[in-house]
Amino acid sequence: MVNKVKELRERAGLTQKELGERVGVSRQAINAIETGKFDPSVWLAYDLAKYFDLAIEEIFDFEGSVRK
């Protein structure tokens, strides 16, 4: 699934560790999401969207993605 997590994190001036701490996951989890190795749970996607004050669909592109 294509996402804008890295772009949003960098724009906010946060490290992966800092973003992970704010949403309750590890730096490794944020890295895996940013690189497309891991699709977040609905709750983590919600927490990320809430943190960035965006809709989930503004961060994660479901349209062009294959369901896993």
Side-chain angles (χ1 to χ4, degrees):
M1 171 182 341
V2 177
N3 70 74
K4 297 179 183 175
V5 174
K6 182 176 182 178
E7 174 187 333
L8 293 166
R9 176 183 60 76
E10 289 177 343
R11 195 179 311 159
L14 298 170
T15 65
Q16 291 177 339
K17 182 180 181 201
E18 290 168 333
L19 179 56
E21 288 170 351
R22 285 166 173 77
V23 297
V25 296
S26 68
R27 178 202 62 78
Q28 292 87 346
I30 297 297
N31 179 269
I33 292 167
E34 289 182 355
T35 58
K37 295 176 184 169
F38 172 73
D39 291 336
S41 68
V42 172
W43 286 110
L44 178 51
Y46 171 80
D47 289 341
L48 287 163
K50 188 170 176 129
Y51 180 80
F52 290 115
D53 196 29
L54 297 169
I56 291 173
E57 295 86 357
E58 293 177 276
I59 300 175
F60 299 95
D61 178 14
F62 296 92
E63 294 296 321
S65 301
V66 176
R67 272 192 173 183
K68 291 183 182 178

